[in-house]
Amino acid sequence: MNVFFVSNSTCYYFTDELYGMLSASGREDTTLALVYYGGCSVQQHYEWMRDSESNYEFRVIDKAGLHVTRDMGLAAAMSIKNWDVISFDNKARTFASGDTKIALELTEPYFGMLFSDLRERFPGARYMWHEVWANEVGYKLAFEVKTKEQRIGVYRAKRGLMEHMMEAYGIEGVPTGDAWEKVRDLELFETPLPE
């Protein structure tokens, strides 16, 4: 199975572990790949592909190990394999308002144009929207999450955008955010607010 992530730092940090889990379950023939540029939005992915920009770090993990190529373009990266699964998400700041409508305005029409182009190149692939998780209270990287209510709003915006993508494009959803939202309510995983 060959899996390609059109993402940002969200997928950068878990692909090594995911490959290890797949290998342990007998899927050593899997290739995981992603184009990486920190904080990259769907709009930026689309514009760079349209303009043939080569701004990504391209990461491939397979049974031979990790391979990294710098200054790669999306079209060039996609051309190395016939991808079975192609997964998307949008950068964290897209959801900072906690409003699905605003998240959608920051995603469309760019996702539709990007998806149309990739579906034409890879008509047999399974397409997925990766539901990014809402960060814990106290988290300050992409934006600061100050209250549990804000975290829940961010989660709902992420969930709402994934549901839109599934309905509008007939793609599958990966409900990672749902799983993390259940974990966030456990005291062990809550980051205490500074006093």
Side-chain angles (χ1 to χ4, degrees):
M1 180 169 61
N2 301 317
V3 182
F4 194 101
F5 296 95
V6 182
S7 182
N8 47 61
S9 61
T10 306
C11 294
Y12 187 93
Y13 295 111
F14 77 68
T15 45
D16 293 6
E17 290 82 2
L18 179 57
Y19 184 79
M21 288 187 287
L22 289 167
S23 294
S25 68
R27 297 299 304 257
E28 296 93 355
D29 59 338
T30 300
T31 298
L32 301 179
L34 73 139
V35 285
Y36 169 72
Y37 189 92
C40 200
S41 66
V42 166
Q43 178 179 351
Q44 193 69 79
H45 287 304
Y46 167 71
E47 290 173 353
W48 282 351
M49 188 170 78
R50 178 197 64 197
D51 299 337
S52 301
E53 296 284 345
S54 300
N55 298 321
Y56 297 105
E57 177 180 307
F58 179 48
R59 299 172 62 85
V60 178
I61 303 169
D62 57 21
K63 60 186 173 185
L66 172 65
H67 315 279
V68 178
T69 306
R70 305 213 188 281
D71 302 319
M72 181 74 94
L74 179 55
M78 298 291 286
S79 70
I80 71 155
K81 291 245 183 217
N82 187 20
W83 301 102
D84 301 304
V85 177
I86 301 173
S87 184
F88 307 88
D89 65 17
N90 208 348
K91 69 177 184 175
R93 284 193 182 277
T94 305
F95 308 98
S97 68
D99 186 323
T100 300
K101 183 178 177 189
I102 291 172
L104 185 56
E105 288 170 357
L106 294 170
T107 306
E108 294 286 23
Y110 310 104
F111 178 76
M113 294 183 289
L114 178 64
F115 177 68
S116 178
D117 188 278
L118 295 181
R119 187 171 53 182
E120 189 174 306
R121 294 175 194 227
F122 302 97
R126 289 173 62 189
Y127 290 90
M128 299 183 175
W129 185 268
H130 177 103
E131 181 194 24
V132 186
W133 50 93
N135 293 309
E136 69 271 18
V137 174
Y139 189 83
K140 298 180 182 178
L141 185 57
F143 58 91
E144 186 173 5
V145 179
K146 296 181 179 178
T147 65
K148 181 176 178 179
E149 291 73 24
Q150 182 189 8
R151 186 203 81 205
I152 292 168
V154 169
Y155 159 71
R156 287 183 180 147
K158 292 179 178 193
R159 177 73 193 177
L161 186 61
M162 182 180 75
E163 289 173 351
H164 167 82
M165 295 304 177
M166 293 167 65
E167 183 178 333
Y169 297 102
I171 63 178
E172 299 173 60
V174 181
T176 318
D178 293 0
W180 272 107
E181 193 60 19
K182 288 177 174 55
V183 169
R184 295 291 184 221
D185 283 330
L186 300 176
E187 186 177 345
L188 177 65
F189 292 95
E190 279 288 356
T191 304
L193 288 170
E195 296 182 16

